[in-house]
Amino acid sequence: METVASGVHRHRDGLVNWYAIEENGAVALVDTGWPRSWGRIEAGLSELGRSPSDVVAILLTHGHGDHLGGAERARRETGAPVRAHRDELERVRGKRKGGSSFALVPKLLPHLWRPASFRFVVHAAAHGFMTPRWVQEVMPFEDGETLDVPGRPRVLSTPGHTEGHASLLLEDRGVLFAGDALVTADPVFGRKGPRLMPEPVNVDTARARESLTAFDDVEADVLLPGHGEPWRRGVASAVERARAESR
Ligand SMILES: [Zn+2]
């Protein structure tokens, strides 16, 4: 685990990140990696001197297989509730039409001649992306809600990558978990720097671009993306670059 802010830790799980927020011995997870990530989550907790029973919340930015992967196992092992945006519940439960991993395949096929795209698909498949473990029970959160869990994250609704994508802001710690609303590396095409996720893996890229306005009033030094390295030069400068990239 890499400590990226006060009481905030990152695990780079192949091409995706998940995070742990600590407060008074309790832990909230932000995303859970791939379907086979539970062992790495357990190891990460023990590195922090914590055990699964210290986990009190499992927060998901969205319901893609590289973010919700370990959530169902984590829910069973820790007893903590899994939470996601109200508009994302169906996807997280595997009930959304077109929400399966296979739905992304035809969109990615035309790009497989690119080495980065080919690598992503092989990497994702090897990590169980094609067989997601959907979450059996998930509790909704709402736009603007402040969650009573470690770090007291505030929910910022940022749809576009998926219907109910949400970002989480730790106001006191100056940290924004942007999920796949704004990343610093595009895992599909291998491009670096703050940007939106690429068109083929978004439900609605124009909407994703509009959702960047949710970050306009955010004053946080550290942006923690779903993919790529932490961005420490302020959320505003990351948003500016992502907008310039997506013009
Ligand atoms: Zn995603």
Side-chain angles (χ1 to χ4, degrees), residues 1-239:
M1 298 290 272
E2 172 198 0
T3 299
V4 287
S6 167
V8 180
H9 313 277
R10 169 197 185 214
H11 183 92
R12 186 166 62 86
D13 199 339
L15 287 170
V16 73
N17 300 310
W18 49 262
Y19 301 92
I21 310 168
E22 277 189 293
E23 190 172 290
N24 300 327
V27 175
L29 297 174
V30 177
D31 286 341
T32 56
W34 307 91
R36 295 174 194 152
S37 288
W38 169 250
R40 293 188 285 277
I41 295 171
E42 214 177 9
L45 290 169
S46 107
E47 221 178 288
L48 300 174
R50 304 288 167 218
S51 64
S53 60
D54 295 323
V55 175
V56 295
I58 301 158
L59 310 175
L60 299 178
T61 58
H62 66 295
H64 276 154
D66 50 342
H67 295 261
L68 68 67
E72 175 62 11
R73 181 79 191 272
R75 184 180 76 81
R76 288 167 188 263
E77 300 279 350
T78 65
V82 175
R83 301 191 64 182
H85 191 283
R86 169 216 282 270
D87 297 338
E88 196 72 353
L89 297 190
E90 271 185 30
R91 184 181 279 278
V92 169
R93 294 173 59 231
K95 306 285 185 205
R96 179 172 284 273
K97 224 172 152 229
S100 86
S101 299
F102 285 98
L104 291 175
V105 171
K107 295 176 185 172
L108 290 173
L109 276 180
H111 303 287
L112 285 185
W113 60 272
R114 299 169 202 265
S117 307
F118 186 74
R119 265 198 308 274
F120 171 74
V121 169
V122 170
H123 177 91
H127 283 77
F129 183 77
M130 300 315 290
T131 49
R133 314 252 166 93
W134 304 116
V135 181
Q136 300 304 308
E137 281 174 39
V138 53
M139 278 172 58
F141 53 60
E142 313 275 339
D143 186 31
E145 189 178 344
T146 298
L147 307 179
D148 192 14
V149 305
R152 293 189 59 75
R154 183 151 64 87
V155 176
L156 302 177
S157 180
T158 44
H161 178 62
T162 58
E163 305 78 5
H165 187 287
S167 304
L168 298 165
L169 174 63
L170 306 187
E171 257 155 347
D172 299 348
R173 306 192 199 188
V175 170
L176 174 70
F177 297 97
D180 283 1
L182 200 175
V183 297
T184 59
D186 163 353
V188 181
F189 295 133
R191 297 174 189 129
K192 298 282 192 317
R195 61 190 59 247
L196 299 176
M197 284 293 273
E199 182 97 46
V201 295
N202 295 332
V203 166
D204 185 341
T205 300
R207 198 161 177 221
R209 192 181 303 117
E210 279 165 33
S211 282
L212 291 173
T213 58
F215 300 153
D216 280 343
D217 298 327
V218 168
E219 285 181 35
D221 289 335
V222 184
L223 179 144
L224 299 174
H227 304 275
E229 295 296 310
W231 177 264
R232 300 176 182 284
R233 286 183 259 170
V235 168
S237 73
V239 169

